[in-house]
């Protein structure tokens, strides 16, 4: 606002000078605008010089009960100058908030008063780490190394549901990280009161006398969808942590010995039933293991899982894959999701490679064996993570895991059944060095290494990622160079090595309403990271321009606008051959009544040479031009009933070839305890064209097909309180394809009708139920009771309608798994305190 006053005053002074030569008149007529300028400048300077957040040392800690009536809270220095960051930016907060920071030799204590009327507080119970829904929330964040890039966050809701997370690369968030800390909340007529105790064992910080931290308080008021920060957070400026303000007064704290054990035991009962064979098998099994966390120094932590067991993780949403690319499933195993932000920074680590059968079987099968079954999972023997950051901003991470020999069942040439090795003893290793630089810049080196026993394939990949921003944090340049080396056994017991290269260079505008990125990506044919990473494409160059425009403050009838648009041109790396251009983008508008509206588009206006769909190196499919548009709505999540809906058509420049897609996801909130979210997503392809198989003469066979894909999910949760919950995820997925014409793919990418003796028709169905009862009976300790039911079938029966096909699914073999797990958290500091009593 000060700049508006300055500009207006300048224009007014200019007019005065030009319109009058009377000095007296000039002076009098200038007094008003000059006064405005002076007042605006003072106001602007005052707005920028906010009081700091001060931590007060105490000798007697508060009782964590949410009442804030302990004497120590009276000695603290309250902070109350919160500033709104959404929907408006940079104005004083509407609702008053007071926060106090205390500390002693063991922990940091946060007390907060979130003022508002009792009936205005939104108190929906949610899952841990999922507070950004239909509930108020209060957070505190600590940048303990003052690097403006990495931080720890802790939050609570009025129902005392906790959330903890890490921030890295200034903006990105990892909410899979969990710490053990205490909080209590009380509700009063004038608002809700919060007490937190965050032990030093939950943080990492340098061992120095005077701590130099940044911090931020963040409050969400759900009733009016407002958000407040203690810092003057500007969403137009790149980064979050870099905008936080200093925390003063924190000194003479010593990082404690961070050592905790979490032993666990799980009892499994598995029931398998195949009605076609009238076969029922059951199995009772007990598994035990332990997780270890050891703070080797004030900055570094060793995490290890011994005899790991992930049998209770939620089932994958498996799909039938018609594309040329591997499906990338989400990681759900806790050890591989918690605290791995450093390992993911170089984009070389896909943790699902660890514990799942690789393509070793495909490489080493021979004509003497016909496999009748091969497991999907390998036996994970152990896994460890070592990570941390020095006081000079150097992040170091080392990950290592070992999987055991895995066998499949095969029939030999003599007709006997034998066990055959499908994945050998394997060691997976990741090393990361990440140096934080000035101006939120960094340089990261990552190396991944996979070594297989039994003369298997080995792989080594290394890359360097450099990101350099200017002092104003408005522009940045980045570069990415990766080198891969694969080694395979040759016939004379020596090894053959294959090297590949990836490079990426780019320029970004990273702050302001308008931002952009210009980049060029080059991937050689030999570049391969898929032994421990995930990469779909090879032998391709991509020139790309991203253009983004964002409005973060209310305008007209809208609260905000976000628009992203991308222009790409692809061509072959090996010979520069044409692939084709594409254009894509989306726009989101949020009204003042919190109705979200968005649109998306994808344009491929010319023939595109698809080098991946034929599944044969050097061949391509001349894909016709395609145009896709879509629209969506998202209603106000504050309502008891809300919904998301989107969809649209895509059509190809080929007679009758079209796709329709739609998704509807209602949200039903019943009271403060029950939340139900069903969803259905449908894809209908008519006259779609794609790869079928290779015939006996190695000709590439394509087919024209109608495809129906439907994904139905019912998700729901009932929260008894902040520590006791029941969750359900039920899913039925079906994908059916019917072919009416087959083609021979020509060398020029066109297709010619042909006779095909086989059939590409298919019918795939999958059914999953995951029911999970969770009780956090002590901090860090939990009991989980889980029921999982899985059914899937694949055949060529395509004549069934949806209802009959659903019933047909249950004719397939089913697997029911019941399990009870108890996990107990033991902290060295806690045990030491009990022993000294």
């Amino acid at each position: 606002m000060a700049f508006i006053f300055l500009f207006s005053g300048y224009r007014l002074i200019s007019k005065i000078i030009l319109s009058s030569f009377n000095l007296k008149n000039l002076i009098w007529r200038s007094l008003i605008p000059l006064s405005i300028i002076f007042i605006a400048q003072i106001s602007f300077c005052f707005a920028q010089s906010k009081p700091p957040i001060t931590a007060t040392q105490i000798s007697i800690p508060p009782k964590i009960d949410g009442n804030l009536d302990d004497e120590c809270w009276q000695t603290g220095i309250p902070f109350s100058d919160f500033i709104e960051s959404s929907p408006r930016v940079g104005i004083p907060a509407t609702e008053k908030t007071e926060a106090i920071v205390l500390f002693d030799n063991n922990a940091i204590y946060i007390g907060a008063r979130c003022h508002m009327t009792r009936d205005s507080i939104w108190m929906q119970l949610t899952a841990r780490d999922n507070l950004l829904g239909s509930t108020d929330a209060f957070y505190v964040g600590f940048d303990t190394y003052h690097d403006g890039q990495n931080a720890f966050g802790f939050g609570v809701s009025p129902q005392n549901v906790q959330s903890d997370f890490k921030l890295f690369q200034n903006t990105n968030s990892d909410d899979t990280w969990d710490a053990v800390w205490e909080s209590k909340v009380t509700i009063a007529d004038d608002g809700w009161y919060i007490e937190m105790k965050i032990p030093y064992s939950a943080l990492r910080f340098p061992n120095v006398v005077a701590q130099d931290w940044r911090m931020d308080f963040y409050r969400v008021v759900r009733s009016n969808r407002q958000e407040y920060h203690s810092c003057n957070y500007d969403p137009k400026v790149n980064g979050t942590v870099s905008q936080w303000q200093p925390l003063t007064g924190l000194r003479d704290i010593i990082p404690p010995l961070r050592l905790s054990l979490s032993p666990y035991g799980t009892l499994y009962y598995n029931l398998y039933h195949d009605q076609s064979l009238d076969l029922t098998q059951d199995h009772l099994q007990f598994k035990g293991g332990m997780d270890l966390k050891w703070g080797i120094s004030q900055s570094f932590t060793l995490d290890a899982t011994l005899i790991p067991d992930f049998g209770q993780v939620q089932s994958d949403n498996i799909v039938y894959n018609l594309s040329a690319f591997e499906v990338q499933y989400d990681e759900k195993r806790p050890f591989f999701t918690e605290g791995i932000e450093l390992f993911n920074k170089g984009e070389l680590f896909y943790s699902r490679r660890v514990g799942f059968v690789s393509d070793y079987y495909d490489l080493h099968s021979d004509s003497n064996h016909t496999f009748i079954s091969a497991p999907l999972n390998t036996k994970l023997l152990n896994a460890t993570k070592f990570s941390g950051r020095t006081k000079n901003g150097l992040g170091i991470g080392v990950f290592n895991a070992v999987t055991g020999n895995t066998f499949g069942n095969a029939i030999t040439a003599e007709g006997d059944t034998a066990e055959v090795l499908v994945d050998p003893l394997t060691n997976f290793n990741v090393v990361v060095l990440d140096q934080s630089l000035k101006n939120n810049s960094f340089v990261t080196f990552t190396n991944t290494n996979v070594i297989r026993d039994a003369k298997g394939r080995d792989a080594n990949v290394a890359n360097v990622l450099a990101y350099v921003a200017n002092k104003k944090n408005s522009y940045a340049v980045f570069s990415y160079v990766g080198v891969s080396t694969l080694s395979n056994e040759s016939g004379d017991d020596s090894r053959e090595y294959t090297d590949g290269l990836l490079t990426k260079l780019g320029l970004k505008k990273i702050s302001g309403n308008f931002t952009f990125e210009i980049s060029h990506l080059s991937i050689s044919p030999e570049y391969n990271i898929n032994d421990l990473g995930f990469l779909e494409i090879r032998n391709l160059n991509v020139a790309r321009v991203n253009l983004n425009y964002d409005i973060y403050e209310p305008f007209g009838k809208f609260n905000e606008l976000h628009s992203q648009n991308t222009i790409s041109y692809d061509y072959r790396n090996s010979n520069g051959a044409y692939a084709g251009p594409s254009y894509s983008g989306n726009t989101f508008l949020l009204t003042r009544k919190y109705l979200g509206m968005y649109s998306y588009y994808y344009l491929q206006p010319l023939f595109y040479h698809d080098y991946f769909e034929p599944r044969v190196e050097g061949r391509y499919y001349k894909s016709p031009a395609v145009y896709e548009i879509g629209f969506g709505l998202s209603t106000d999540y504050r309502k008891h009933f809300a919904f998301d809906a989107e969809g649209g058509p895509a059509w190809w420049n080929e007679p009758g070839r079209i796709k329709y897609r739609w998704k509807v996801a209602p949200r039903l909130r019943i009271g403060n305890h029950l939340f139900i979210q069903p969803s259905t997503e449908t894809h209908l392809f008519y006259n779609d064209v794609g790869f079928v198989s290779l015939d006996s003469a190695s000709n590439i066979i394509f087919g024209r097909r109608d495809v129906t894909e439907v994904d139905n999910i019912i998700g729901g949760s009932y929260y008894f309180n902040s520590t006791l919950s029941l969750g359900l995820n039920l899913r039925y997925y079906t994908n059916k394809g019917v072919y009416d014409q087959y083609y021979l793919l020509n060398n020029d990418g066109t297709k010619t009708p042909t006779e095909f003796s086989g059939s590409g028709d298919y019918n795939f169905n999958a059914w999953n139920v995951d029911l999970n009862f969770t009780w956090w009976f002590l901090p860090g300790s939990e009991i989980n009771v889980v029921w999982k039911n899985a059914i899937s079938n694949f055949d060529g029966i395509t004549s069934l309608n949806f209802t009959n096909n659903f019933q047909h699914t249950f004719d397939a073999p089913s697997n029911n798994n019941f399990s009870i797990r108890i996990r107990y958290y033991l902290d060295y500091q806690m045990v030491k305190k009990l022993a000294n009593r």
Side-chain angles (χ1 to χ4, degrees), residues 402-452:
V402 179
T403 58
N405 289 321
T406 303
F407 297 88
N409 294 320
I411 299 177
T412 66
E414 293 77 21
D416 300 323
T417 301
E419 284 192 336
V420 178
L421 184 70
V422 296
D423 209 287
L425 178 72
T426 306
N427 185 85
F428 300 89
N429 185 263
V430 184
V431 176
V432 182
L433 300 174
D434 175 54
Q435 179 63 61
S436 299
L437 304 174
K438 291 182 179 180
N439 305 326
N440 306 315
S441 305
F442 60 85
V443 176
T444 304
F445 168 80
T446 305
N447 177 262
T448 66
N449 187 269
V450 179
I451 300 176
R452 293 184 172 91

Side-chain angles (χ1 to χ4, degrees), residues 170 236-240 242-243 439-441 467 469-476 509-512:
N170 204 347
K236 296 191 298 296
V237 176
N238 177 257
T240 301
S242 58
Q243 299 189 56
N439 305 326
N440 306 315
S441 305
Y467 177 92
N470 65 346
K471 190 173 182 179
K472 293 183 178 180
N473 199 27
S474 55
Y475 289 89
K509 183 179 184 295
I510 54 179
S511 292

Side-chain angles (χ1 to χ4, degrees), residues 308-325:
D309 171 34
F310 304 111
Q312 287 195 329
V313 298
Q314 183 176 316
S315 305
D316 287 325
N317 289 341
I318 59 174
V319 298
Y320 185 72
N321 184 21
L322 285 171
S323 77
F325 306 111

Side-chain angles (χ1 to χ4, degrees), residues 759-779:
S759 174
D761 292 357
Y762 67 89
N763 181 23
F764 176 77
N765 299 276
W767 164 270
N768 288 96
V769 179
D770 290 81
L771 184 65
N772 189 332
F773 173 83
T774 301
W775 177 28
W776 292 88
F777 61 94
L778 287 172

Side-chain angles (χ1 to χ4, degrees), residues 363-418:
L363 294 173
H364 292 264
S365 61
D366 56 60
S367 58
N368 294 325
H369 299 88
T370 301
F371 281 88
I372 56 177
S373 67
L376 296 176
N377 302 333
T378 60
K379 185 177 181 180
L380 181 61
L381 301 179
N382 61 69
T384 57
K385 295 177 294 189
F386 171 85
S387 62
R389 191 171 294 273
T390 70
K391 63 181 180 180
N392 295 320
L394 175 62
I396 302 174
V398 179
F399 169 90
N400 195 84
V402 179
T403 58
N405 289 321
T406 303
F407 297 88
N409 294 320
I411 299 177
T412 66
E414 293 77 21
D416 300 323
T417 301

